[in-house]
Amino acid sequence: MPYLITTGDTLSATGAERLGFGVPGYAHPLLAPVEWAELTRPGTPLHWAVLNVSDRGPGTRPDPHCLEAAGRLTNAGVRVLGHLDLAHGGRPFGEIVADAHRYLDWYRVGGFLLDRCPVERADLTGVRRVTATLEAVIDGGHLVLGHGTHPYPGYAEVADQLVTFSGPWTDYRWSQVAEWTADYPPERFVHFVHGVPRTHLDEAMRIARWQGAGTIFFTDRVATGAGQSGAFDALPGYWDEIVSRIGPGVSE
């Protein structure tokens, strides 16, 4: 059974005290112009959106289309996160920091999603070194660890949010939450779920609330290749419906 957690009137780390969206990264703005434009719609309960310019990173030079998209979101009050690939602990520290500086210099991001983040206790020291460096580089920025599953509990102390589920609806509907998450408020946890049928939206949202997730992205789209490729490239077919169900929010 999902583990229900309750919290007091704590101010959300994402700037919203209700369930809201974290967009894991649409396709390039040239391929998904409607998706990027939709994120600036007033009243959308959006906590942040991820900019992934070129295969899990910022690319080798500024992309004018991404510059425009990121600038439009920032001007609309939406927090834009740069996508950094940790390769499950396999990337050199210097490469990660160099990518972070490119995102900051070129796109003025307000934080980072550290994708493919390790989950084991043995890797915590290395991840802590990365997050401490990024916090110094981007003072007041927002850091999200993209584990995709429940990591060793100590990771909750080194970032603002953890992605504790990323995968298909067929797994999510039977998933269970780690009991240690009850020590933290919902705004600390993120769920990305693809392949959620419209008829199961209510059930999916109940699971998110029962498991104590404050930030979500649900879509009816499914992966088209290895891993979750393509699942989050476009808007879900029921975008307007899910936005209305969650209700107006405050973008940060």
Side-chain angles (χ1 to χ4, degrees):
M1 290 291 291
Y3 192 82
L4 177 65
I5 71 174
T6 58
T7 62
D9 297 327
T10 305
L11 181 64
S12 170
T14 58
E17 294 180 308
R18 65 180 71 198
L19 201 63
F21 300 114
V23 177
Y26 287 141
H28 190 280
L30 271 179
L31 302 177
V34 173
E35 279 73 6
W36 287 99
E38 186 66 24
L39 296 182
T40 62
R41 184 203 293 187
T44 301
L46 182 63
H47 294 166
W48 40 260
V50 176
L51 180 66
N52 185 9
V53 180
S54 177
D55 191 25
R56 302 182 184 273
T60 57
R61 61 181 63 86
D63 182 310
H65 303 287
C66 291
L67 281 168
E68 182 181 357
R72 190 181 300 117
L73 290 177
T74 300
N75 291 338
V78 176
R79 187 187 286 273
V80 178
L81 305 183
H83 186 289
L84 297 175
D85 181 20
L86 299 195
H88 305 296
R91 287 196 72 198
F93 173 81
E95 286 186 8
I96 298 169
V97 175
D99 276 357
H101 277 289
R102 292 188 186 99
Y103 269 120
L104 286 168
D105 293 342
W106 298 343
Y107 303 107
R108 305 300 181 190
V109 296
F112 298 99
L113 170 68
L114 281 62
D115 198 15
R116 298 203 294 170
C117 185
V119 299
E120 302 297 336
R121 180 175 185 175
D123 296 304
L124 177 58
T125 298
V127 173
R128 183 184 288 115
R129 181 189 180 200
V130 171
T131 58
T133 301
L134 295 179
E135 287 172 353
V137 168
I138 187 168
D139 185 31
H142 194 74
L143 298 181
V144 182
L145 300 184
H147 305 285
T149 188
H150 289 94
Y152 173 72
Y155 284 93
E157 304 300 327
V158 302
D160 297 292
Q161 290 186 294
L162 311 181
V163 180
T164 52
F165 185 92
S166 183
W169 166 244
T170 50
D171 292 341
Y172 189 61
R173 67 184 309 186
W174 305 114
S175 63
Q176 296 186 15
V177 68
E179 292 193 10
W180 63 261
T181 62
D183 294 332
Y184 299 90
E187 60 262 27
R188 300 297 304 279
F189 301 106
V190 183
H191 290 173
F192 297 148
V193 190
H194 58 81
V196 182
R198 181 189 300 268
T199 53
H200 289 279
L201 263 181
D202 283 339
E203 182 183 355
M205 292 172 67
R206 283 197 301 270
I207 292 171
R209 290 188 170 101
W210 287 343
Q211 294 196 6
T215 302
I216 61 168
F217 191 83
F218 295 160
T219 180
D220 51 350
R221 301 183 183 276
V222 296
T224 57
Q228 299 178 73
S229 176
F232 302 116
D233 285 353
L235 285 172
Y238 41 64
W239 175 250
D240 287 342
E241 181 176 348
I242 193 172
V243 167
S244 66
R245 289 192 189 196
I246 293 179
V250 179
S251 297
E252 192 173 351

